[in-house]
Amino acid sequence: MRRTPFALLQVGNLLSGVGNGVAMVVLPWLVLDITGSASAAGLVASATLVPVLFASLLVGTVVDMVGRKRVAMLADALSGLSTAGIPLVALLGHLDATWLIGLAIGGAVLDPAGYTARKAMLPGAATRAGWAWERANGVHEAVYGAAYILGPGIGGLLIGLVGASNALWATAAAFAVSVVATAFLRVPGAGRPDHHERPEGLWRGTVEGLAFVWRQPLLRVTTLLVCLVVAAYLPFESVILPVHFTDIDRPAQLGLVVTTMSVGGVIGSLATAVVVRRFGRYRVFVVSVLMACLALLGLGFLPGLPALLGLALVTGLFWGPVQPILDLAMQVRTPEELRGRVIGVITSATYAAGPVGLLLAGPAIDGWGVRTASILFAMAVLVLAIGSLLPRRLRELDDLREPDHEGPHVAVPTPYPAP
């Protein structure tokens, strides 16, 4: 029974991820089916990104004000209702691009809140299960990665079996089961915080989270590193590889390469606790970042498919341990009552970094060609990663110590840092 809360948390983690993964495939398909316009499909994708970018900065404060469990349930319930609304409107004969955009925004606006709430509950669930936080972080990230491997595949299968609109009933069902699983979740700190622990306001609470991350040198350095790498990496997955496989008329191979990278990431996340025990957290972190970026540089040369698959697997394998280690740094260095705000700030920074690289990728490909642009972006990833690994603060990763888990409550002893 001690592991039941952790298992329930991962059920929600998996099903909400699968639901979003299905929607990622089905919604553009529906728009193309209704309008026949690729621009309209792009508009829907952009419309769902806008609320994520704006909401992700504030949702951490909402989590700390309302309570982690309530926010996770509300986020999944809203996503489920929004996706169920699409086939319902279709049954009534009123489905058009306007309805799709409105319902897609409704489903996406609280996605960062659900992600933040579940991650904030993870230390408590791991403590109840008797697991080290590092091991729990690896499993949580692996489940999240697996969800986004399964989701698009299930979405494509359902489109073929029942049609795009009806496929969203399955998405709504996944969110509904996630809500039920979360409702039975009992972990320390999941309920609404005491009045004296809540933020005094939405904006003030968000500023407190920003200030805390900035004043914690280790969190500041690691957040900057991830943002730089994401800004330079995202164009690979979203622009460079799609253009390359379109140019050689092998679009199906794109999904194979991206899936292989994701599988590598799942395996790497699961291996985190084992390799950290053997080699140390700082060494694993530095080697993982450098090897992942070197493999990405190999991808930048756009070799044949076998080499691409091998390099994609290596990229995922080595990047896999990075996020669990960063999660542990955040968990240990952040007071319990601030955890939602800090996760929200770090997540929003990562979300914001991606579009910067995407804005540069298109002009670079148009001006220099896809191969030259891919090599330049890969070199940029490597240079930025090396520069970000230089600060000595990263050696503090080996000094991270989880609190003693003797009782049911998690007490993080780290005080607020001095300005």
Side-chain angles (χ1 to χ4, degrees):
M1 291 298 292
R2 294 181 64 203
R3 295 183 181 178
T4 299
F6 186 80
L8 288 172
L9 184 65
Q10 296 316 311
V11 169
N13 187 27
L14 177 67
L15 290 176
S16 63
V18 167
N20 284 321
V22 171
M24 284 171 55
V25 173
V26 174
L27 289 177
W29 189 288
L30 266 175
V31 177
L32 288 171
D33 190 41
I34 292 171
T35 68
S37 168
S39 298
L43 178 61
V44 171
S46 300
T48 57
L49 282 176
V50 171
V52 168
L53 289 172
F54 283 99
S56 58
L57 182 62
L58 303 175
V59 293
T61 305
V62 175
V63 169
D64 286 342
M65 293 174 70
V66 178
R68 298 161 187 174
K69 179 176 170 178
R70 289 181 180 179
V71 171
M73 293 174 64
L74 178 62
D76 285 343
L78 182 60
S79 293
L81 289 172
S82 297
T83 51
I86 293 173
L88 183 59
V89 173
L91 284 175
L92 297 173
H94 299 303
L95 188 62
D96 56 18
T98 302
W99 270 107
L100 273 173
I101 291 173
L103 290 169
I105 291 174
V109 69
L110 284 185
D111 280 348
Y115 171 86
T116 299
R118 279 185 288 272
K119 184 164 279 193
M121 289 189 284
L122 182 58
T127 299
R128 280 283 173 87
W131 282 21
W133 289 1
E134 198 151 49
R135 179 187 179 191
N137 289 335
V139 172
H140 189 81
E141 293 298 330
V143 170
Y144 189 71
Y148 277 91
I149 297 173
L150 293 171
I154 293 172
L157 182 63
L158 288 174
I159 289 172
L161 291 175
V162 299
S165 179
N166 287 327
L168 290 174
W169 288 119
T171 304
F175 283 119
V177 176
S178 179
V179 171
V180 173
T182 306
F184 286 97
L185 188 59
R186 300 288 186 272
V187 295
R192 192 174 188 186
D194 294 334
H195 190 272
H196 69 277
E197 293 179 341
R198 297 177 209 161
E200 294 185 10
L202 189 62
W203 178 245
R204 183 169 181 176
T206 303
V207 171
E208 287 173 351
L210 285 165
F212 183 84
V213 173
W214 182 255
R215 291 173 181 174
Q216 277 282 355
L218 180 60
L219 296 185
R220 184 174 67 236
V221 168
T222 53
T223 300
L224 177 63
L225 184 151
V226 172
C227 288
L228 290 174
V229 172
V230 166
Y233 159 76
L234 195 60
F236 262 89
E237 187 173 295
S238 301
V239 180
I240 291 172
L241 288 177
V243 170
H244 168 65
F245 285 111
T246 299
D247 286 347
I248 65 173
D249 197 25
R250 296 289 189 274
Q253 294 181 2
L254 171 62
L256 192 58
V257 171
V258 173
T259 300
T260 300
M261 192 180 299
S262 299
V263 169
V266 169
I267 297 170
S269 296
L270 290 174
T272 300
V274 174
V275 296
V276 163
R277 279 198 301 270
R278 182 167 183 178
F279 299 107
R281 200 172 291 117
Y282 171 71
R283 288 181 180 177
V284 170
F285 183 80
V286 171
V287 170
S288 294
V289 172
L290 289 178
M291 289 300 297
C293 292
L294 283 171
L296 195 65
L297 180 59
L299 281 173
F301 285 91
L302 302 176
L305 182 62
L308 277 174
L309 292 175
L311 290 165
L313 181 64
V314 172
T315 301
L317 281 172
F318 279 99
W319 191 254
V322 172
Q323 192 60 53
I325 292 174
L326 297 181
D327 287 344
L328 182 67
M330 178 275 299
Q331 291 159 352
V332 172
R333 290 295 174 89
T334 305
E336 173 79 11
E337 66 273 11
L338 266 177
R339 191 177 294 151
R341 277 163 279 180
V342 170
I343 295 172
V345 166
I346 294 174
T347 302
S348 67
T350 306
Y351 274 133
V356 175
L358 291 174
L359 288 173
L360 298 174
I365 293 172
D366 291 338
W368 302 318
V370 64
R371 187 177 297 274
T372 301
S374 66
I375 294 172
L376 290 175
F377 269 93
M379 291 178 65
V381 172
L382 184 60
V383 170
L384 291 171
I386 292 173
S388 300
L389 291 173
L390 293 178
R392 295 184 60 82
R393 287 286 183 182
L394 287 176
R395 295 186 179 274
E396 296 177 14
L397 291 171
D398 282 334
D399 300 328
L400 297 174
R401 296 291 181 269
E402 298 177 24
D404 292 332
H405 304 319
E406 298 176 351
H409 298 286
V410 179
V412 181
T414 306
Y416 285 83

